[in-house]
């Protein structure tokens, strides 16, 4: 799954390689370096999420239940479920992420990257405003 440079969004150490950005679905490869900072727990108001493990192990927390997502494993996160992803292991982890419908588009990730990728500490109030505007609710 190689993406052109213009299809990649970086949020801190995280890398998202977009494959589909449509009203029906948003699909991207999610690359998480070992022990990287990851988004805070949140839920989606209007979209479901599916993760499929490609490399390494992503630890996924859904509604307080921890699950290790390895190669070939999948997890479904229904809208309204509080969730969080992280890589607690050595080596990078990769997962294919499908958000359906495509209510959370690439533009959300670009906007949140602009808030997070700054010198010093990011403005958390601004990050929350971006999240809420795109249908993500911090938990």
């Amino acid at each position: 799954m190689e993406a052109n440079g213009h299809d990649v969004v970086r949020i801190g150490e995280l890398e998202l390689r977009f494959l589909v950005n449509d009203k029906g679905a948003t699909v991207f490869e999610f690359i998480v370096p070992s022990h990287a900072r990851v988004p805070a727990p949140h839920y989606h108001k209007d979209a479901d999420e599916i993760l499929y493990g490609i490399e390494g192990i992503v630890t996924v927390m859904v509604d307080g239940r921890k699950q290790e997502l390895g190669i070939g494993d999948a997890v479904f996160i229904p809208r309204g479920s509080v969730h969080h992803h992280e890589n607690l292991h050595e080596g990078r982890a990769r997962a294919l992420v499908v958000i359906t419908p495509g209510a959370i588009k690439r533009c959300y990730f670009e906007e949140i990257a602009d808030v997070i990728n700054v010198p010093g500490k990011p403005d958390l109030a601004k990050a929350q405003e971006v999240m809420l505007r795109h249908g993500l609710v911090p938990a």
Side-chain angles (χ1 to χ4, degrees):
M1 285 184 210
E2 291 300 317
N4 297 329
H6 66 276
D7 291 332
V8 175
V9 174
R10 288 181 177 79
I11 305 170
E13 296 178 80
L14 307 176
E15 187 173 308
L16 290 74
R17 296 175 181 226
F18 285 84
L19 304 168
V20 177
N21 187 46
D22 189 81
K23 67 180 180 178
T26 301
V27 181
F28 57 90
E29 182 182 356
F30 183 48
I31 302 168
V32 186
S34 181
H35 307 288
R37 290 184 57 216
V38 293
H42 64 279
Y43 67 88
H44 305 162
K45 288 174 41 177
D46 301 313
D48 300 321
E49 183 172 346
I50 300 166
L51 279 81
Y52 177 80
I54 299 171
E55 176 185 350
I57 299 171
V58 176
T59 300
V60 181
M61 181 79 78
V62 180
D63 290 332
R65 202 173 107 228
K66 191 180 286 192
Q67 179 176 344
E68 298 282 304
L69 182 77
I71 298 169
D73 294 334
V75 64
F76 173 70
I77 305 167
R79 65 194 76 191
S81 290
V82 174
H83 60 283
H84 177 69
H85 317 296
E86 56 190 333
N87 178 358
L88 301 173
H89 303 276
E90 296 306 318
R92 77 178 186 169
R94 293 187 311 140
L96 183 68
V97 177
V98 178
I99 299 172
T100 186
I104 304 168
K105 297 190 178 332
R106 178 192 171 112
C107 61
Y108 159 71
F109 297 99
E110 292 171 334
E111 285 185 45
I112 204 72
D114 287 344
V115 173
I116 300 299
N117 297 340
V118 296
K121 291 189 176 191
D123 182 339
L124 298 182
K126 188 169 185 176
Q128 182 173 359
E129 183 275 321
V130 171
M131 291 176 74
L132 291 170
R133 192 163 25 84
H134 288 274
L136 290 87
V137 180

